[in-house]
């Protein structure tokens, strides 16, 4: 199960509004954000390179 990179919430496959994208800095990690974190624009931290972004 993928987890939200911001809050650690498990993202179910049927959850709409979640976002998945590769880390814009290193591209090695897929950043996953749940709908709430995406809406509120919470910062994520890449576990591989430590990049922080909105
Ligand atoms: Zn979240
Ligand atoms: Zn990264």
């Amino acid at each position: 199960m993928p987890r939200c990179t911001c809050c650690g919430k498990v993202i179910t496959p049927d959850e709409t509004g979640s976002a998945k994208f590769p880390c814009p800095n290193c591209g090695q990690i897929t950043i996953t954000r749940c709908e709430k974190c995406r809406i509120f624009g919470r910062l994520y931290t890449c576990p591989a390179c430590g990049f922080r972004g909105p």
Side-chain angles (χ1 to χ4, degrees), residues 18-37:
S18 61
K20 265 189 196 174
F21 53 93
C23 170
N25 188 52
C26 69
Q28 292 183 40
I29 294 288
T30 300
I31 307 287
T32 309
R33 286 208 291 180
C34 70
E35 184 178 10
K36 277 185 182 163
C37 291

Side-chain angles (χ1 to χ4, degrees), residues 5-23:
T5 306
C6 303
C7 67
K9 185 173 98 76
V10 172
I11 296 176
T12 52
D14 59 308
E15 176 167 338
T16 55
S18 61
K20 265 189 196 174
F21 53 93
C23 170

